[in-house]
Amino acid sequence: MRIEVWADVVCGWAYIGKRRLEAALADPAFDGVPVEVVWRPFRIDPTAPARAVPLEEAYGDPIVDTALRRCAPGLSPMENRARVSEIAAEEGLGPRWGAAWRADTHDAHRLLALAFERGDAARQNAVAERVMKAHFVEGRDISDREVLAAVAAEAGFADGAALLEAGAGEDVVRELLLTGKARGVATSPTIVVGDRALAGAQPAEVIREFLLKGGRRRELPEEVERLRYAESLLDQRDPFGALVLLRPLLDEHGDDRTVRMLAARAYFASAQLGRARPTLEWLVAKSPDDSYARHLLGRTLQRQGLAEEAAPHLTMAAVMTPEYA
């Protein structure tokens, strides 16, 4: 059974959720069951400064307020802080508890992704434990690469520091963040098994019941899954994110109409009209009776100030599909 934990390492509930997940998996019901826990990135505070600042100074920032609410929906930052501290103590996290820094977690997520990619789930789990302990218990700045290098070594991933310095893991983390968004992950932590998700750091018994129900996920070719995620991002008005996921498909399957059409929609939605136009012209040339492609080409030409060139396409699209009139 593969368990994906989508979480940010600066979310206290993620660390609590880790302990509760471990308690759930210690139940005899899972004896002999092969389990793989994989950590996936989620950012509660993507605007955190590159250079960490003391957390006490950051609490008055409305952006920090918003970030903390993504970690604990329904609670004010102060309510969340008090409740997390109390529950962390109950879960045995401490004796000291409390982050000291508002730290950017991009490199920490890269380190986790690399630990899994270059090792396995066990190594990644060890790194996740050390990163969160460093942040919440030891009060260290986990945006500092020297701190991350020490944490990686302590977790048995000595190669991690060099990989970070070489820029490894950038694309992996970027795509995983977009994939999580496409799949509807909206809070930290979110536990996913197959096609089922459990949001929040639920009690161990709730997690146990969730895991026992399992979750089947329809196995799709990687290309089809990537295409669906890109379409989900476009539906969420993130055309740039959709194009990131589409890039490998455009490189390898550029003659596929479905791929081209989704790219054309993303180009149009992101105002990249210079890219939308040739893509749509190619689609219209291949399928002259595609009213949607014609309509979108006409609108693209209109937005480029080419009304006369747009008119025939818009007229023909309206004739074929009256709702485009």
Side-chain angles (χ1 to χ4, degrees):
M1 174 171 57
R2 168 172 281 198
I3 302 168
E4 291 182 310
V5 182
W6 297 81
D8 200 344
V9 290
V10 292
C11 173
W13 290 107
Y15 203 4
I16 290 169
K18 184 176 187 295
R19 285 291 181 272
R20 291 178 170 179
L21 174 60
E22 290 165 350
L25 289 172
D27 189 279
F30 297 101
D31 288 350
V33 177
V35 173
E36 181 184 54
V37 178
V38 180
W39 290 83
R40 301 300 196 193
F42 182 86
R43 300 288 300 276
I44 64 169
D45 188 9
T47 62
R51 184 182 294 274
V53 296
L55 194 56
E56 290 295 338
E57 295 178 13
Y59 272 125
D61 189 328
I63 294 177
V64 176
D65 181 278
T66 300
L68 290 173
R69 291 180 188 276
R70 295 184 77 193
C71 185
L75 296 179
S76 72
M78 294 310 296
E79 288 172 334
N80 179 50
R81 191 179 186 190
R83 186 177 175 192
V84 167
S85 296
E86 180 180 329
I87 294 176
E90 293 173 0
E91 297 293 340
L93 296 171
R96 181 196 176 281
W97 171 269
W101 300 94
R102 181 190 180 196
D104 181 89
T105 58
H106 179 69
D107 283 348
H109 284 304
R110 285 172 58 210
L111 185 65
L112 283 173
L114 290 166
F116 180 69
E117 185 180 79
R118 305 299 177 96
D120 54 24
R123 173 175 287 182
Q124 186 194 47
N125 191 62
V127 173
E129 175 68 29
R130 285 300 298 123
V131 168
M132 287 188 276
K133 183 178 181 181
H135 181 70
F136 287 107
V137 178
E138 298 168 355
R140 299 161 79 182
D141 173 11
I142 61 169
S143 67
D144 187 323
R145 287 192 183 174
E146 290 187 6
V147 171
L148 288 177
V151 164
E154 292 161 8
F157 185 36
D159 295 340
L163 290 168
L164 286 180
E165 291 300 326
E170 290 282 355
D171 292 342
V172 173
V173 168
R174 188 182 186 193
E175 289 201 1
L176 283 171
L177 287 168
L178 290 170
T179 297
K181 181 179 179 180
R183 292 176 65 178
V185 176
T187 192
S188 170
T190 296
I191 298 174
V192 176
V193 177
D195 60 353
R196 300 173 60 246
L198 180 67
Q202 302 293 336
E205 57 271 20
V206 174
I207 296 175
R208 173 188 176 278
E209 292 304 313
F210 171 78
L211 297 178
L212 286 174
K213 290 179 182 178
R216 293 184 178 180
R217 191 168 170 213
R218 185 180 176 188
E219 292 297 328
L220 296 172
E222 182 182 347
E223 294 85 354
V224 174
E225 196 166 64
R226 181 178 284 269
L227 190 70
R228 290 189 175 184
Y229 291 156
E231 188 166 21
S232 173
L233 291 174
L234 191 54
D235 290 343
Q236 294 179 57
R237 299 185 179 182
D238 184 0
F240 290 105
L243 286 167
V244 169
L245 295 187
L246 279 174
R247 177 51 52 198
L249 298 180
L250 286 168
D251 291 342
E252 298 175 21
H253 307 283
D255 290 336
D256 184 279
R257 281 187 50 77
T258 303
V259 172
R260 287 266 190 132
M261 177 55 78
L262 195 57
R265 289 173 55 200
Y267 289 142
F268 182 82
S270 59
Q272 298 183 67
L273 304 180
R275 292 183 175 180
R277 179 179 176 179
T279 305
L280 288 162
E281 288 174 337
W282 183 91
L283 287 164
V284 169
K286 292 289 185 181
S287 299
D289 60 344
D290 186 334
S291 61
Y292 179 72
R294 280 197 179 275
H295 176 71
L296 198 57
L297 176 56
R299 291 189 61 195
T300 298
L301 292 167
Q302 269 187 335
R303 290 176 65 179
Q304 289 183 312
L306 303 171
E308 290 187 10
E309 293 182 43
H313 295 291
L314 292 173
T315 299
M316 191 171 296
V319 169
M320 290 188 285
T321 307
E323 65 190 70
Y324 291 148

